[in-house]
Amino acid sequence: MAAAHEHLADSADEAPIPFRQAVEALRAARLRPEIEIDPTPAPKRLAPFAYALEAAVVERGAGPDGEDRDLADGRLVVLHNPAGDETWHGTFRVVTLARAELEPEMGADPLLPEVSWSWLTGALDARGVHYGAPSGTVTRAGSYYFGGLAAREPATQIEIRASWTPAEGPGGVPDLAAHLSAWCDLLCQVAGLPPAPLDMTTRGGIVPLPQRRGAQPR
């Protein structure tokens, strides 16, 4: 398993101690080797303090010329308002995006939005994290190819946008490592990977997405 990332943004050094400790906890997350993750610029107007990561689920050497291929990607943002936010019901908020390309028959399933949302809540529950006030959207869109791209099969893209309030532990610090791990589990889920074994401290389970015939290069 790879560490989440190697360094924190410089702006985090001037943030309140609970935020700094929460962001530092992201380094403790041990992620699947298929996950590539890096810090990315965080939004500046959503909260007094924010930190962001972007991630991709990468299939090594799966391209036609042996190149790596992205199966899913997304973004995770941690927001912090020391004064609290009445819509969050807390001082922290996790905001995420996960997206991937599915086979058309999967995208045509009328239950896909409900099932996709259950993948998110199932990933959080399986990691045993505590959270509140979840909200989000599931969007699917079909793509059809013509001209020079006519050889490609039609595809369906799924996009899951969600946010939730992580429960705060001692010192008002949430266990963001567990939340990051759960979100990466969701990314692997929409990418079509089989679920990885969870350690004995976790509970629950996630229904795996059927294996796709092969994702298209992005």
Side-chain angles (χ1 to χ4, degrees), residues 103-207:
E103 291 300 324
E105 57 268 27
M106 295 179 187
D109 188 336
L111 296 179
L112 178 65
E114 290 81 4
V115 171
S116 299
W117 184 256
S118 73
W119 291 340
L120 170 64
T121 57
L124 291 168
D125 293 342
R127 289 286 175 181
V129 302
H130 299 286
Y131 63 97
S135 63
T137 62
V138 176
T139 304
R140 57 180 166 185
S143 296
Y144 300 86
Y145 303 95
F146 302 93
L149 299 177
R152 293 180 60 172
E153 296 183 359
T156 299
Q157 294 79 36
I158 184 173
E159 181 179 275
I160 304 170
R161 293 180 179 269
S163 64
W164 62 88
T165 298
E168 297 173 12
V173 182
D175 181 7
L176 291 187
H179 290 264
L180 174 61
S181 295
W183 176 69
C184 287
D185 290 341
L186 171 66
L187 278 181
C188 291
Q189 180 81 356
V190 299
L193 299 184
L198 299 177
D199 62 42
M200 298 302 292
T201 63
T202 59
R203 64 177 185 273
I206 303 172
V207 178

Side-chain angles (χ1 to χ4, degrees), residues 42-65:
K44 298 182 181 298
R45 297 183 180 180
L46 298 180
F49 303 95
Y51 186 77
L53 295 168
E54 59 184 7
V57 180
V58 179
E59 188 177 20
R60 310 294 180 187
D65 298 319

